[in-house]
Amino acid sequence: MDSAAGKAKPQGRLVLSTQLDAKDELEERLERCVGLVQSLTNGLSEREANDALTANVCKGQQQHEEVCLGLFTLILTEPAQAQRCYRDLTLLNRDGMNIILVKINQILMEKFLKLHDPPRTQLVWLVRELVKSSIVGADGVVMTLLKQIAGGDISTKNLWLAENVLDILLDQKEWVLKNGMLIAMSVYTYLRLIVDHGAPNLLILRQKEVDYCISMLRDKFIDCQIIGRDLVRLMQNVARIPEMELVWKDLLHNPAVLSPQFTGILQLLTARTSRKFLACRLTPDMETKLLFMTSRVRFGQQKRYQDWFQRQYLSTAESQSLRCDLIRYICGVVHPSNEVLSSDILPRWAIIGWLLTTCTSNVAASNAKLALFYDWLFFNPEKDSIMNIEPAILVMHHSMKPHPAITATLLDFMCRIIPHFFPPLETAVRQGVFNSLTFIMEKRVLAHLAPLFDNPKLDRELRSMLRERFPEFCSSPSPPTEGGALKMEDTISMDMDSNLLDKEGCYDNTEAAFSDDEEELNNKGDEEKRKKREFRFPPIREAVFEEPADVTPWIDQLDDSMKEKVQQLQKTSDTETQCEVMQEIVDLILEEDFDTEQMSSLTSCLAELFKDHFRGDVLPEEITEESLEESVSKAVCLVFRNLVTMQEDNAGFSVLLDMLAEFYQKQPKIGYHLLYYLKASKAANGKMMLYESFAQATALGDLHTCLMMDMKACQEDDVRLLCYLTPSIYSEFPDETLRSGELLNMIVAVIDSTQLQELMCHVMMGSLVMFRKDSVLNILIQSLDWETFEQYSTWQLFLAHSVPLETIIPILQHLKYKEHPEALSCLLLQLRREKPSEEMVKMVLSRPCHNEDQFTTSILRHWAAKHDDVLAEHIKTQLIKNNNQPRKRQSLRSSSSKLAQLTLEQILEHMDNLRLSLSNSKNNFFTQTPILQALQHVQASCDESHKMRFSDLFSLAEEYEESQAKPPKSRRKAPMTSPRSRKGQAPPTNMEEESVSSTASEEEDSKPKAPKRKRKGSSAVASDSD
């Protein structure tokens, strides 16, 4: 044994390791204990060895522990000696095997995946022996062993573990029946594992699992009942197995057979499942990785962790069932603190969104949605937690803008689950969902649900269903209008057993993860405007061949001639032939006897037949005249071409517009395809306004709404195309694009730095105008709520224009130094290049004073160095104006802007900060006459508190006064002989704001008198100087 140990020493007897791994501390300790036991027993008979070990154990607790661990390690590493070592262990142990149970739990939780195969086998054998001996605490070890059986894993090792643990439970059934929690935990585990063991080669194992679960459910249902509502979810998944079906029917229709105390399935469904059960279906390694992601990983940096998790646990077809376990764990167990929720840590809804969108099986996706909404169905605010239902509503909320297909999928599921979950309990399910939505609003998870439920991006049918199911939450009179409507006809309808797919998605399966540069949180918690990136994920896509669409129901509604043409179109895949047939269809439409009632059926056929035209990128990779013309030569563009060549007063013009409007309802993407055709086709040169006629013909009937929805659809499908269309859209529809920041936000939300630079070049060349004077300020104020890169892009585009900075300088009144650093930094750099005007100085000084906000001080210091004389005059003007405001309080209400009010104290604070900033420099800004005169004027009339607070600032004025009180100034003493009378006349002094310069010159003679009188009465310095 020693030689074998010597050979295996580099690798270790217990734990797998590489040459780079440090020696495992636990293994080192166990090896030392083995060495101790062997040193005590080498060369001795069994009886002598037992006596030697007993004598050593009696020495103390440490020796007892070392001997027990040594024997425990020999059991794991020496199968041939295991039986003898276990016998010795039971004789020598004095703490009821507690030290062994603790060490087994430690190995199971921390080292089980790294164990060599022999120790793994021996560990399960040891657990079996502990159960046989009815050791107190053995049930805890068995539950830990159950946790190591991974869901969605049919590897040999995992199947071996599942079967061996089940054998322990079956062999020791009498012992199991005495442990209620073990019964519940084992039933929960094996009900879940039955789903994974449906392959023909696993039917024997599955049958053993089914028999065990049925036995426990029938004999010990009162113990199984503590599982709660998730017992029903697991039973539902296996209810089609014949033996299970009988239990399922008793659960639904004859509950008393299972237990006299069991009143019915509603009793289970209203009981929240304990965290213990939800956590037991994740292995310790999975649980550790998930907890790390939800507590340590920053949003936007999660991709490599998700990729690792995907490769490790979700890469096989069988692993799809694991997603339900992960989602239930995240909803029911991972409840972050408020500190984590308000940080930039990866949020729970983002992980759930990733799990949903990387699902490759319809059944698994449907089960995953049920797992997400399961706590909604019978939600009771008094018993259930808001944290269990929060992830579902946030996934829908954060997906609405970037990917409405995901939101539509979940909303549709939420609506359909109410009548289909269990029809006899439809009222209870409806109440549970209603309670969930009400509680969500009460807890301010979302302030309003109307923008989510009644959003134009959703299909009309879905919105109608939502209004019917939840009228209380759809009461917004003016829901958001941005983005294109998602047609439910383009998706597969979803029931409890099916999944809603976005068949229009243009994402590959390889992109089924969060991209580093796109995903950051966009969550306004506690109504604070925390700007974080929105989470974007692709819709679910199945890697299967899609069969040709069946358009027979619509074709049957067409007349014979039209039916023939549509059938020809259906049979051919050649682009040229399709164009010829499409032209013939257009000609039939333009005939006078065309029946317009078949227009809806015709457009439904065309939308289905041409759906491939609306997939992938529209804009050619290399843009040339030839490639552009080729890209607009598709059959669907024949309608556009005919419209372009017609006059608006032509009767066929309105017919084709009606056809396009009908097509638009079936396929919203045709809107931006029309915009592309009008921009790219030579035949459509100068015809961009045709789009306005199209917009008015649609059901929307409004150019602005239609344009915004089409550009939003374009943004989601093809960012390159969005940038290509932008110059034309802004130049042709200025009233619709320049009056708000809606389109601008769509653009800056998705462009990269290269595309930003290209747009700036368009602006510099005059081919793109994105801002105009009358609306630019409003747009920039709107942008303050956007995320960081969007704001910087907006300011870069603004600075590329020649809009005077004074046009937007009032935005300073809206900027807070902690909430709007992007706008402040851009403004600071731009003001640095400007010569200060009176309005600029006024706005800069109007900012509140904060110790951490250096904006005003920094720009004033720069101006003081570059434009000291101009800045001095403007500050003097503001000081004199605001010095008189307290005497004219009634005029404050007539101010043009409440935000523009500027106080004397504010100016003095900023001036004092500037003085301190310049104190160590050679700048002579505070020696300028206008500044000193203004300070004298303020000092003469301000109260004592201000004089004390800004004494250092006013001391500059006093030094200036002393320098002015030289003999050449003696002729001015006459006006100073009656300072009290002048002081009494100070308030009504004529200082009209429209003639500041003349007022300032009059004050130059009068201002020094009051301070001079005071100094003369209070100090001998002034008289000595005279």
Side-chain angles (χ1 to χ4, degrees):
M1 191 180 81
D2 291 341
S3 60
K7 292 179 182 178
K9 190 174 181 180
Q11 179 57 256
R13 302 290 305 276
L14 281 175
V15 180
L16 287 165
S17 62
T18 67
Q19 295 297 326
L20 299 178
D21 291 334
K23 186 71 173 177
D24 188 86
E25 291 183 7
L26 174 62
E27 186 170 18
E28 277 190 322
R29 186 189 177 197
L30 293 178
E31 285 178 354
R32 286 196 300 270
C33 294
V34 169
L36 172 66
V37 171
Q38 290 175 337
S39 68
L40 290 172
T41 59
N42 277 345
L44 302 179
S45 65
E46 283 193 21
R47 182 165 185 171
E48 290 171 338
N50 187 267
D51 291 341
L53 292 174
T54 303
N56 193 68
V57 164
C58 293
K59 291 180 180 179
Q61 178 63 30
Q62 181 179 347
Q63 288 77 10
H64 170 263
E65 187 173 316
E66 289 172 345
V67 169
C68 290
L69 291 180
L71 292 170
F72 164 71
T73 308
L74 285 170
I75 292 172
L76 299 186
T77 57
E78 300 293 341
Q81 302 179 34
Q83 193 69 50
R84 180 179 61 81
C85 290
Y86 181 71
R87 184 197 63 199
D88 292 343
L89 184 61
T90 56
L91 293 172
L92 294 169
N93 186 271
R94 298 186 175 188
D95 65 353
M97 290 287 188
N98 184 62
I99 181 63
I100 303 302
L101 295 174
V102 170
K103 203 55 63 178
I104 292 175
N105 269 321
Q106 182 183 354
I107 291 175
L108 286 174
M109 295 298 290
E110 300 174 7
K111 312 291 182 183
F112 190 74
L113 293 178
K114 297 181 179 181
L115 287 180
H116 288 290
D117 288 344
R120 187 193 301 258
T121 303
Q122 286 304 109
L123 188 63
V124 174
W125 178 86
L126 177 57
V127 172
R128 184 192 300 269
E129 295 302 313
L130 292 172
V131 171
K132 280 183 183 179
S133 304
S134 298
I135 299 298
V136 176
D139 55 333
V141 171
V142 174
M143 285 189 278
T144 308
L145 201 55
L146 284 169
K147 186 177 175 66
Q148 280 292 353
I149 307 172
D153 182 359
I154 57 172
S155 64
T156 305
K157 286 184 178 180
N158 199 58
L159 291 173
W160 173 85
L161 181 61
E163 187 166 13
N164 275 270
V165 176
L166 182 59
D167 287 341
I168 293 174
L169 298 173
L170 290 171
D171 294 345
Q172 306 299 322
K173 187 174 179 181
E174 292 301 320
W175 174 80
V176 172
L177 293 175
K178 299 174 184 177
N179 296 278
M181 180 55 71
L182 178 60
I183 292 172
M185 197 73 76
S186 60
V187 168
Y188 187 89
T189 297
Y190 282 103
L191 279 176
R192 164 65 188 86
L193 294 175
I194 288 170
V195 177
D196 298 334
H197 301 160
N201 62 316
L202 302 177
L203 290 182
I204 296 176
L205 172 59
R206 190 179 82 165
Q207 190 59 47
K208 287 170 66 176
E209 293 169 338
V210 168
D211 292 342
Y212 175 77
C213 290
I214 290 175
S215 170
M216 292 300 165
L217 286 167
R218 290 208 176 275
D219 297 344
K220 286 289 186 178
F221 187 80
I222 197 69
D223 291 314
C224 298
Q225 192 176 334
I226 64 173
I227 296 173
R229 60 174 64 119
D230 276 83
L231 176 61
V232 179
R233 181 177 64 85
L234 296 180
M235 289 284 292
Q236 197 173 1
N237 292 336
V238 298
R240 292 185 181 180
I241 298 173
E243 300 92 332
M244 278 294 184
E245 189 175 8
L246 297 175
V247 180
W248 177 245
K249 287 181 178 178
D250 285 341
L251 190 71
L252 297 180
H253 309 299
N254 197 9
V257 172
L258 298 173
S259 171
Q261 291 83 21
F262 182 48
T263 59
I265 194 170
L266 187 60
Q267 184 180 349
L268 276 177
L269 290 169
T270 53
R272 178 179 169 190
T273 298
S274 168
R275 294 183 177 192
K276 295 178 182 177
F277 297 105
L278 299 177
C280 83
R281 289 318 318 125
L282 268 64
T283 65
D285 191 56
M286 292 180 197
E287 192 171 11
T288 301
K289 299 299 188 297
L290 267 185
L291 291 175
F292 178 81
M293 290 169 67
T294 55
S295 62
R296 303 285 296 278
V297 177
R298 296 186 182 280
F299 199 90
Q301 299 175 3
Q302 71 272 26
K303 187 176 186 303
R304 64 192 181 108
Y305 301 101
Q306 289 173 343
D307 289 346
W308 183 93
F309 202 95
Q310 179 93 16
R311 288 193 304 271
Q312 191 76 6
Y313 299 115
L314 300 171
S315 58
T316 63
E318 304 81 30
S319 65
Q320 299 305 309
S321 62
L322 178 62
R323 296 176 192 275
C324 297
D325 302 330
L326 295 170
I327 290 173
R328 292 299 295 145
Y329 178 84
I330 292 169
C331 291
V333 180
V334 182
H335 291 175
S337 64
N338 288 333
E339 182 182 2
V340 173
L341 289 173
S342 62
S343 70
D344 59 353
I345 296 298
L346 181 65
R348 296 186 300 161
W349 62 261
I351 300 178
I352 290 175
W354 163 66
L355 290 171
L356 288 174
T357 55
T358 53
C359 193
T360 58
S361 161
N362 279 346
V363 174
S366 182
N367 289 335
K369 294 186 187 73
L370 180 61
L372 179 60
F373 282 104
Y374 205 63
D375 288 312
W376 288 52
L377 306 183
F378 297 90
F379 184 80
N380 183 346
E382 296 179 2
K383 298 179 181 178
D384 294 300
S385 168
I386 185 66
M387 299 298 284
N388 289 32
I389 61 174
E390 178 217 52
I393 198 71
L394 290 183
V395 169
M396 294 189 285
H397 171 69
H398 290 292
S399 307
M400 177 59 82
K401 184 178 178 183
H403 290 291
I406 302 301
T407 303
T409 301
L410 297 175
L411 287 173
D412 188 71
F413 184 91
M414 184 178 71
C415 290
R416 295 178 189 274
I417 198 69
I418 293 173
H420 292 111
F421 178 73
F422 186 49
L425 294 180
E426 179 180 352
T427 304
V429 175
R430 187 187 306 278
Q431 186 61 46
V433 175
F434 179 84
N435 290 344
S436 300
L437 294 170
T438 304
F439 204 51
I440 282 167
M441 293 182 65
E442 286 179 4
K443 294 297 182 181
R444 307 293 289 177
V445 177
L446 291 183
H448 302 288
L449 294 174
L452 181 64
F453 285 4
D454 199 18
N455 197 298
K457 295 178 184 178
L458 302 176
D459 170 61
R460 188 179 304 168
E461 181 184 346
L462 177 56
R463 291 165 65 190
S464 176
M465 191 193 309
L466 286 164
R467 281 193 291 268
E468 179 185 344
R469 294 270 199 275
F470 312 107
E472 304 86 350
F473 306 109
C474 301
S475 56
S476 174
S478 55
T481 58
E482 62 184 55
L486 173 74
K487 298 304 293 178
M488 295 301 289
E489 291 89 346
D490 297 336
T491 57
I492 300 173
S493 63
M494 180 188 61
D495 205 328
M496 277 184 66
D497 301 321
S498 63
N499 174 41
L500 182 65
L501 301 182
D502 179 9
K503 298 172 75 174
E504 305 298 338
C506 57
Y507 300 90
D508 297 328
N509 289 335
T510 55
E511 293 184 304
F514 298 72
S515 64
D516 288 338
D517 60 340
E518 284 183 342
E519 311 149 353
E520 287 181 6
L521 184 61
N522 181 20
N523 179 21
K524 299 185 180 179
D526 301 325
E527 299 301 307
E528 292 291 334
K529 297 175 181 177
R530 263 184 255 106
K531 298 179 285 292
K532 298 175 183 177
R533 291 198 172 178
E534 287 191 331
F535 144 62
R536 306 166 185 276
F537 50 82
I540 301 168
R541 298 195 63 185
E542 293 250 317
V544 295
F545 176 76
E546 185 176 347
E547 296 182 357
D550 181 16
V551 294
T552 306
W554 296 307
I555 290 181
D556 292 340
Q557 299 175 34
L558 303 176
D559 60 35
D560 293 339
S561 57
M562 187 63 77
K563 184 186 298 184
E564 180 185 352
K565 299 302 177 187
V566 172
Q567 287 173 339
Q568 289 180 24
L569 198 62
Q570 186 181 20
K571 293 174 183 176
T572 182
S573 59
D574 178 66
T575 303
E576 196 167 324
T577 308
Q578 282 185 338
C579 289
E580 293 174 1
V581 176
M582 190 63 200
Q583 183 59 55
E584 293 173 2
I585 291 175
V586 171
D587 293 337
L588 286 174
I589 294 172
L590 295 176
E591 291 179 1
E592 291 183 2
D593 59 348
F594 176 72
D595 184 7
T596 55
E597 291 184 2
Q598 59 181 324
M599 189 73 83
S600 178
S601 300
L602 173 62
T603 52
S604 295
C605 290
L606 295 177
E608 195 64 33
L609 294 175
F610 289 150
K611 61 185 179 183
D612 285 339
H613 293 194
F614 299 97
R615 290 178 177 164
D617 295 338
V618 180
L619 194 65
E621 194 65 33
E622 184 178 351
I623 300 177
T624 63
E625 288 186 5
E626 292 76 19
S627 64
L628 288 175
E629 279 301 320
E630 183 180 351
S631 68
V632 294
S633 299
K634 298 176 181 177
V636 74
C637 296
L638 260 294
V639 183
F640 305 156
R641 188 183 304 170
N642 280 271
L643 269 174
V644 166
T645 57
M646 284 183 179
Q647 299 294 325
E648 290 191 12
D649 54 356
N650 189 316
F653 184 84
S654 60
V655 176
L656 286 183
L657 278 181
D658 290 340
M659 177 198 173
L660 274 183
E662 195 72 30
F663 202 120
Y664 189 67
Q665 291 188 14
K666 312 295 188 302
Q667 176 50 273
K669 297 184 180 185
I670 200 170
Y672 74 76
H673 279 254
L674 173 59
L675 286 169
Y676 173 68
Y677 180 87
L678 295 174
K679 161 91 174 183
S681 175
K682 289 182 180 178
N685 190 26
K687 298 278 188 176
M688 185 63 80
M689 296 310 293
L690 177 65
Y691 178 83
E692 184 172 357
S693 302
F694 161 76
Q696 292 168 353
T698 63
L700 298 170
D702 174 51
L703 174 59
H704 178 78
T705 303
C706 191
L707 182 62
M708 293 303 112
M709 290 176 69
D710 289 342
M711 294 303 286
K712 182 64 178 175
C714 179
Q715 178 223 38
E716 294 170 3
D717 291 346
D718 192 346
V719 177
R720 287 182 65 243
L721 178 59
L722 177 71
C723 295
Y724 177 77
L725 292 176
T726 294
S728 297
I729 299 301
Y730 270 94
S731 61
E732 295 292 341
F733 308 108
D735 291 334
E736 312 304 325
T737 55
L738 297 175
R739 68 185 183 187
S740 76
E742 193 173 353
L743 178 58
L744 179 63
N745 187 213
M746 290 182 205
I747 295 168
V748 297
V750 293
I751 60 174
D752 58 27
S753 53
T754 302
Q755 291 161 337
L756 172 62
Q757 190 263 344
E758 290 173 358
L759 290 176
M760 291 174 67
C761 289
H762 281 297
V763 173
M764 298 288 286
M765 292 187 295
S767 58
L768 173 61
V769 177
M770 305 180 81
F771 300 96
R772 62 185 182 192
K773 290 183 180 180
D774 60 347
S775 59
V776 60
L777 178 59
N778 182 47
I779 291 174
L780 290 177
I781 291 173
Q782 290 177 37
S783 74
L784 298 178
D785 291 336
W786 301 350
E787 56 105 341
T788 296
F789 182 79
E790 294 172 10
Q791 287 196 56
Y792 279 130
S793 298
T794 300
W795 280 95
Q796 292 280 62
L797 290 168
F798 165 76
L799 296 176
H801 290 69
S802 299
V803 179
L805 190 62
E806 285 195 347
T807 307
I808 58 100
I809 197 67
I811 197 176
L812 270 175
Q813 304 164 83
H814 300 266
L815 303 183
K816 298 178 181 178
Y817 73 99
K818 283 189 176 179
E819 297 177 17
H820 307 120
E822 301 92 344
L824 283 169
S825 59
C826 292
L827 261 178
L828 186 64
L829 292 176
Q830 190 60 18
L831 285 170
R832 188 175 182 272
R833 301 186 182 98
E834 299 283 333
K835 183 178 180 180
S837 66
E838 182 177 344
E839 183 67 14
M840 288 181 189
V841 174
K842 177 182 176 183
M843 290 300 167
V844 167
L845 292 173
S846 66
R847 290 187 57 72
C849 292
H850 292 285
N851 292 334
E852 298 174 20
D853 185 7
Q854 300 295 321
F855 180 93
T856 299
T857 304
S858 60
I859 190 59
L860 289 178
R861 180 184 172 113
H862 175 77
W863 281 339
K866 300 291 183 182
H867 310 284
D868 54 344
D869 52 342
V870 177
L871 178 62
E873 287 295 338
H874 291 323
I875 290 178
K876 174 184 176 181
T877 301
Q878 295 303 321
L879 278 169
I880 292 174
K881 281 183 179 181
N882 286 277
N883 191 38
N884 291 290
Q885 280 190 7
R887 303 185 187 95
K888 297 189 280 187
R889 292 182 183 273
Q890 69 277 7
S891 67
L892 291 177
R893 295 189 178 182
S894 63
S895 174
S896 60
S897 170
K898 293 181 180 178
L899 294 172
Q901 294 178 11
L902 180 62
T903 65
L904 175 63
E905 183 176 358
Q906 224 171 348
I907 301 175
L908 291 174
E909 281 187 74
H910 287 309
M911 292 291 291
D912 205 34
N913 289 338
L914 178 60
R915 178 189 63 79
L916 292 171
S917 175
L918 295 174
S919 61
N920 295 324
S921 69
K922 297 180 180 179
N923 191 292
N924 297 321
F925 178 77
F926 281 94
T927 63
Q928 295 182 90
T929 302
I931 292 292
L932 298 172
Q933 290 175 342
L935 289 174
Q936 283 181 332
H937 175 73
V938 172
Q939 187 185 27
S941 55
C942 70
D943 55 35
E944 290 297 323
S945 64
H946 282 80
K947 289 178 182 177
M948 290 291 293
R949 183 176 176 186
F950 303 106
S951 58
D952 291 339
L953 194 62
F954 288 136
S955 68
L956 301 173
E958 293 172 358
E959 292 170 8
Y960 170 74
E961 177 193 356
E962 291 173 7
S963 67
Q964 295 297 307
K966 301 293 182 179
K969 292 286 183 180
S970 60
R971 57 185 176 183
R972 292 189 181 180
K973 290 186 179 180
M976 293 162 51
T977 53
S978 55
R980 292 187 180 275
S981 63
R982 290 201 58 81
K983 183 177 179 181
Q985 294 174 4
T989 299
N990 182 21
M991 299 180 70
E992 295 178 6
E993 295 185 6
E994 63 270 17
S995 58
V996 174
S997 60
S998 62
T999 304
S1001 63
E1002 292 173 9
E1003 289 296 315
E1004 284 180 14
D1005 290 334
S1006 61
K1007 281 182 294 185
K1009 295 174 184 178
K1012 203 161 189 179
R1013 173 189 57 78
K1014 180 180 176 184
R1015 290 178 61 84
K1016 190 172 182 179
S1018 60
S1019 172
V1021 176
S1023 59
D1024 289 345
S1025 173
D1026 290 339

